[in-house]
Amino acid sequence: MPAKEKYGAQPPIELLRQWIDHGNWYDRKDTSEIKLTDVLFMSAMGPPGGGRNEITSRFTRHLNIVSIDEFSDDTLTKIFGTIIDWHFAKGFDGSLQRLGKMLVQATMVIYKEAMEKFLPTPSKSHYLFNLRDFARVVRGVLLIPSTHLQEGGKLIRLWIHEVYRVIYDRLVDAADRTKFFEIVKETTQSSFKQSVDSLCGHLSHSGNVRDEDIRNLLFGDYMLPDADPRVYDEVTDLKQLTTIMEYYLDEYNQMSKTRMSLVMFQFAIEHISRISRVLKQDSGHALLVGIGGSGRQSATKLATLMAGYDLFQIEITKNYTAVEWREDLKRMLRKAGTEGKPIVFLFSDNQIKNESFVEDINMILNTGDVPNIYASDEKAEIIEKMQAVAKQEGKKLEATPLMMYNFFIEKVKQNLHVVLAMSPIGDAFRNRLRMFPSLINCCTINWFQAWPEDALEMVANKFLEDVDMTAELRGHCVTMCKLFHESVRQQSEKYLEILNRHNYVTPTSYLELILTFKDLLKLKRDEIMSMKTRYVVGLEKLDFAASQVSVMQVELTDLQPELVKTSKETEKLMVQIEQDTVEVEAKKEVVAADEAVANKAAAAAKAIKDECEGELAEAIPALEAALSALDTLKPSDISTVKAMKNPPSGVKLVMESICVMKSIKAERKPDPGGSGKMIEDFWGPSQKLLSDFQFLNSLKAYDKDNILPAVMKIIRSKYTCNPDFDPNLIKNASTACEGLCRWVRAMDIYDRVAKVVGPKKEKLAAAEAELSIQMEKLNEKRAQLKEVADKLQALNDNFDMMVQKKKDLEANIELCSQKLERAEKLIGGLGGEKDRWSEAAMLLSERYHNITGDVLMSAAVVSYLGAFTVDFRQECISEWHACCQEHIPCSDIFSLNATLGEPVKIRAWQIAGLPVDSFSIDNGIIVSNARRWPLMIDPQGQANKWVKNMEKHRKLAVIKLSDPNYVRILENCIQFGQPVLLEGVGEDLDPILEPVLLKQTFKQGGVDYLRLGENVVEYSPEFRFYITTSLRNPHYVPEVSVKVTLLNFMITPLGLEDQLLGIVAAKEKPELEEKKNELILESAKNKKQLKEIEDKILEVLSSSKGNILEDETAIEVLSSSKTLSEEISAKQVVATATEKEIDATRNGYKPVAVHSSILFFCISELANIEPMYQYSLTWFIDLYLKSIGNSQPSDDLQERILILNDHFTNSMYRNVCRSLFEKDKLLFSFILCVGLMKGKGKIDDDAWRFLLTGGVALDNPHANPAPDWLSDKAWSEIVRASGLSNLAGLFKHVRENTGLWKQVYDSATPDKAIYPGEWSRLAGLDRMVVLRCLRPDKIVPAVQAFIVENLGQSYIEPPTFDLMGSYADSHCCAPLIFILSPGADPMASLLKTGQDMGYRGNMIQTISLGQGQGPIASQMIDAALKDGSWVVLQNCHLATSWMPKLEKNMRGGDHTGEDQLQVPAVAH
């Protein structure tokens, strides 16, 4: 620090030096002087080395340098011994205090041994140790309280645990870990006088403790989740620990929107425990180092929950910059400082959009603060809040801003825990550790190893436990999963070694394998069982139809006589029914006459009855009203009336009427008026009457139908006619008398009605008696009629039954005939399918048995092998298949296509542009079956073309990361279920894509949603995402590769041959190629229809309930479907025959396609020589088309093939040579020559390999026969060359004829010399191999001669630069690019060529690129697009940032035919 820039200077140091030298700086805006006065400069730095740079002496000459040595052993013992003594004085046993002193010495030994034995290297750049590591061990020992530490053995185990956590956890490989275990073992014995075996014997089954056994030694505070406080203690029960961890995981999943599907195997538990230990300590920070998918973030999230802390993570968006980063940091620091909340800041290296992020984290780790992060108002707010916090906590601090801010920093250090998740892949990790030392100094480092075998096994068992298979088979599947994982890891190392291509195997890959296996196994099992069931049901229906034919024929024969017999019985019944009907009709007439008389009498009786009831209806309501009025009277009301001494006249009047009604006589008394006459007085009798308790009841029970006429006469003459005898008037005198008055009046009304109704009732009784007599007679006759009618009905019922029986028989005969006809139709139509269906059902049964192994292999291919080339992929599959066949049922020959492929879908893919070779088909299958979105390595654009055609009908959206609105397009497509193609990505993907790649959806209201950056969008299940890169050999780090399915879509020879054959056939025989393409489409359509028809037939057969022969609709559907199927099959036979004829003619040009394909792969190899030598398939095909058009025509096919091959080879040689450095042109000719000869089988691969490498150098057991002229190296090569089939015995001949061979060696032209003896016949590569051994300096002329002999003289004479020829080979979308040597300038030649072609004046625009020239160049190009002029861009190397824009113009521009872009650039 600080880093040196391009020219070796250190700008910050230079600025400081300028100030020390001159006492001022300059303002960058107006160049005014900035002076600093009264400043004392102090600085500190580590010694140079280990990533720290030397400081220029021009700066150090101004400073007094003070060196600080490392602390001596005594000083360290004093420091840490004091701390340990202070701790163990707090209630610990005295023996533990003595052990504490030994513990400090033991830690010092470990610390020094670690610094000595584990030195930093480029791959182990984190092997740096300092006093903070010593302190971390001691601080770890201090975590356990006296209540839980009573014996010395436990203290030593705690110490072992802590040194393991601080030092062991960062170690990279097994050798270092074993070495550290031995150091700890020796130190424990020497310092504590106790062996590790005695202390930790309970951790090992054998009692002999090994390094792996120390994995079981765990301390933590998480065993009692609800304890307060939680105590750091030894974990003694690992099973209980697993249960506790699963409890925490369940709790996390209940609280979090995104669930974690973790298996709590020991490896995961160990890492969670390690992180928990770090979080328990103040200023505890962790650096988790491991490849993507190793579980770093999952372990941190769970450990955070266990500690009860808040998790803080930044969300990367497309526009996330340093401004947003600083805002996030401020929010986090305020939460930890002012709010006092414990926070875990989880930050991964794929979130580093700017290296300044790491610089800020470096400062937070070291000081708990980022300099100048807060504005003055924000700082004032913090200070204000901290004053309140200090007051609340009772801290007696000065309320100065400085003290409060320091208190804030102290709180941040106490509450903030930074956990960094970084990948060790590439140089970035090493560079960051070097640039930012706090990443090591302030963090406990935890290196995530590859999962051990027990972890792989436990995970597989856990996920496969619910799969329907035997325990034995499940065990074999788990074993195979482990084999896949390990073999791909080894294959990846080999892949890197041989092809220099990277592929990473991560735990995520393993999980994807298991989950893919589960998903695909269920899918394929269901699919096969469904298909088999449909075939079996179809066969059952056919067998049933066949078995029913004879049964139905017998049934038809038996039904005919029964039909005749039934017809005769029906006719007899008809005669009998006619006779009985006449008798019944006569009886009906008699009964009808009697019924009429009876009805008349009944009507008269009813009229009288209705009249009586009508008149009674008038009296009854009044009577009922009177009775209800009586009900309302109470004994008290009666007593009131009775008690009256001088009652009102109304009361007397009512009571008189009551006495009259009751026939009670009045008392005769003298007239109170003094007339002297005797008058009748009813009041005395009334009082007596009222005294009767049954008075009211007697009125209610009054015999209203038999009232004496004399009584009614008195009532009518004296009372009811009296106006005072009105209930409403009486009411005023007495309410009781009102009711009695109403009763009297009701009796009057009723009696009047009864007198009228009485005679009518008598008349009614007489009428009813007469009616009864008539009804008896009528009923008698009705009974007779019923008897006759019942007899007739029985005959009719019998007749109906016979008629129905006859109809049923006729219907049965008809149905039987129809069923016979349908059965014959069904058997005739589908009978031919019986054998095929039977075979298909049998094959499906066998396939169902083998599907477990096939799907397991397929899942491994999908999860692991996408990134490999065809040879590596096939090698893995062969190895796996051999192992799989031993224990798991699987097919004899494994094919991904046979297991997961769908022929109709694959045909559609090929029509859309997928190459026809099996490798490409497998890629297509992987794309459609992988759980993760595909990232296709597609340098030739094959995948791009395929995806665009395949998804065109679904409105595919094509985006690039450079598009300004690509996130908006992606959001819309996710929401509406449209496919998206992200093309042209580099080695890094935008972090905003992570939720899409990981499919981090969550449910809300039953709908799936996904958070993309700051927005939440609805997630459609129809959404598809494809990613392609045009990079030839990209290096995707695990953090990227675990999120996608990497697929190598580089074209194969077979796929390219098919494309080239199609192109040459279309050019040479356009009508045939057109017909061929039509037939391909027709064939695909026919096969699709045939498949759909068969599915329909089987569906109808399966879904038909009961007897299929009774389902006319089903039979008609089956019949029409079969007819259509036969028509299509006939068409397909014709189409296939025609296609074969076309292919026969078309394949006549196959030698051209094979030859051209070889040429393409020859030029593809040039990229291994120089990265610039990369040629696109588009360019190659364009050249191929031009060559076909420009070559000499011929009617003779063989001659035409030779012409095409020669012309294209020569054309490609000239074009490629134009772009090669001079030194590589001969090498290219040689590669071309050998490639073409290989294609013809004229090259011995062993000889070719030997010529290139000289063979594998081993110890040479044969002594050099002529050391005076033959070097040992040359002799060793001769001995190794003798192992080649054509050179067997060479070294013996050389040994026996050294003189003859010396003549060859001494020859001026050994490449033309004749070799001695039998070796004179050597030619070609074999001759060059011998020359390589003897005189490697003459290989060049030998190669030239070899090329002339096999290709021709022109291939060793590269063409001179021809500008017009180059122009002719280019076009408006393929510009000319000049790679210039210093001093070369093609401008004059370019301008002259332009003038010769008519481009003068403004028709040729030139611009020298540099800062700010890009937009001007864009305007020039836009103008040239319209008017067809030339644009010359000079010095392109000075505008590298503008090159992507230029590329976009070249790819997406709508160019006119005349527009041409010339791009000169200087090679650099």
Side-chain angles (χ1 to χ4, degrees), residues 476 479-492 503 505 509 513 853-866 868 872-892 894 896 926:
H476 292 315
T479 303
M480 282 303 297
C481 288
K482 292 192 293 184
L483 170 71
F484 296 153
H485 192 73
E486 183 56 29
S487 66
V488 175
R489 189 186 62 76
Q490 294 171 3
Q491 194 78 335
S492 298
N503 181 62
V505 182
S509 312
L513 160 69
D854 290 346
V855 167
L856 184 60
M857 292 270 295
S858 300
V861 173
V862 169
S863 303
Y864 283 120
L865 300 187
F868 288 104
F872 280 85
R873 205 182 276 187
Q874 202 52 51
E875 185 182 332
C876 269
I877 290 172
S878 301
E879 179 192 335
W880 294 349
H881 190 236
C883 296
C884 195
Q885 281 182 309
E886 294 177 13
H887 303 291
I888 301 173
C890 61
S891 302
D892 294 334
F894 171 77
L896 188 66
I926 292 171

Side-chain angles (χ1 to χ4, degrees), residues 567-578:
S567 298
K568 287 179 180 177
E569 290 175 356
T570 307
E571 287 170 6
K572 285 179 184 177
L573 274 173
M574 277 296 294
V575 175
Q576 181 70 39
I577 287 168
E578 286 173 5

Side-chain angles (χ1 to χ4, degrees), residues 243-291:
T243 306
I244 291 288
M245 288 293 179
E246 286 171 350
Y247 161 78
Y248 282 122
L249 180 61
D250 289 342
E251 191 177 340
Y252 177 88
N253 286 334
Q254 287 171 11
M255 294 170 63
S256 175
K257 276 186 179 178
T258 51
R259 290 176 58 83
M260 285 198 300
S261 276
L262 298 182
V263 179
M264 283 302 158
F265 50 88
Q266 187 176 347
F267 183 75
I269 291 172
E270 287 169 24
H271 284 289
I272 294 167
S273 177
R274 292 172 188 178
I275 297 168
S276 294
R277 170 189 170 277
V278 174
L279 299 184
K280 186 168 177 65
Q281 302 178 7
D282 287 351
S283 299
H285 309 299
L287 173 61
L288 311 181
V289 188
I291 59 176

Side-chain angles (χ1 to χ4, degrees), residues 281-340:
Q281 302 178 7
D282 287 351
S283 299
H285 309 299
L287 173 61
L288 311 181
V289 188
I291 59 176
S294 54
R296 299 163 302 172
Q297 297 200 40
S298 298
T300 304
K301 288 174 183 176
L302 193 56
T304 303
L305 174 100
M306 289 163 57
Y309 295 172
D310 290 348
L311 182 70
F312 185 88
Q313 285 182 282
I314 63 169
E315 285 188 19
I316 296 292
T317 61
K318 181 173 174 58
N319 301 317
Y320 194 89
T321 63
V323 176
E324 285 76 21
W325 162 255
R326 285 291 178 100
E327 287 302 318
D328 280 340
L329 283 188
K330 285 192 276 190
R331 189 154 47 89
M332 176 186 72
L333 294 172
R334 282 197 290 255
K335 199 172 181 183
T338 59
E339 297 178 28

Side-chain angles (χ1 to χ4, degrees), residues 639-659:
S639 300
T640 303
V641 176
K642 185 179 69 172
M644 290 179 180
K645 296 296 182 185
N646 189 15
S649 58
V651 174
K652 281 186 177 183
L653 189 62
V654 170
M655 288 312 297
E656 279 180 24
S657 67
I658 294 296
C659 287

Side-chain angles (χ1 to χ4, degrees), residues 348-496:
S348 62
D349 51 2
N350 62 349
Q351 294 175 315
I352 302 173
K353 290 193 78 173
N354 190 316
E355 288 299 315
S356 66
F357 292 8
V358 192
E359 187 171 353
D360 289 343
I361 287 174
N362 184 71
M363 292 302 298
I364 290 172
L365 290 172
N366 210 2
T367 65
D369 190 21
V370 178
N372 304 318
I373 190 172
Y374 301 109
S376 55
D377 57 328
E378 292 173 329
K379 198 163 186 178
E381 183 186 349
I382 289 171
I383 289 166
E384 186 180 337
K385 286 185 178 179
M386 291 315 295
Q387 286 173 346
V389 172
K391 193 172 183 180
Q392 186 179 345
E393 294 184 3
K395 297 268 187 185
K396 294 182 179 178
L397 298 172
E398 289 183 39
T400 61
L402 181 61
M403 287 298 290
M404 286 299 110
Y405 193 72
N406 288 341
F407 182 44
F408 169 72
I409 299 301
E410 182 187 323
K411 278 287 188 184
V412 169
K413 286 183 176 180
Q414 181 182 331
N415 290 315
L416 179 63
H417 303 274
V418 178
V419 179
L420 304 173
M422 292 193 168
S423 170
I425 305 298
D427 297 331
F429 176 66
R430 183 171 67 251
N431 292 337
R432 284 170 185 148
L433 293 188
R434 189 179 75 247
M435 296 283 290
F436 307 109
S438 291
L439 300 185
I440 295 176
N441 296 343
C442 301
C443 292
T444 301
I445 302 173
N446 186 4
W447 187 279
F448 278 66
Q449 314 290 340
W451 280 8
E453 190 171 325
D454 63 328
L456 296 174
E457 187 169 334
M458 189 169 175
V459 168
N461 276 317
K462 176 75 174 176
F463 280 105
L464 296 181
E465 65 185 2
D466 56 346
V467 177
D468 181 20
M469 59 174 67
T470 63
E472 182 183 3
L473 181 57
R474 186 179 291 107
H476 292 315
C477 287
V478 170
T479 303
M480 282 303 297
C481 288
K482 292 192 293 184
L483 170 71
F484 296 153
H485 192 73
E486 183 56 29
S487 66
V488 175
R489 189 186 62 76
Q490 294 171 3
Q491 194 78 335
S492 298
E493 292 173 2
K494 187 176 169 186
Y495 194 49
L496 179 62

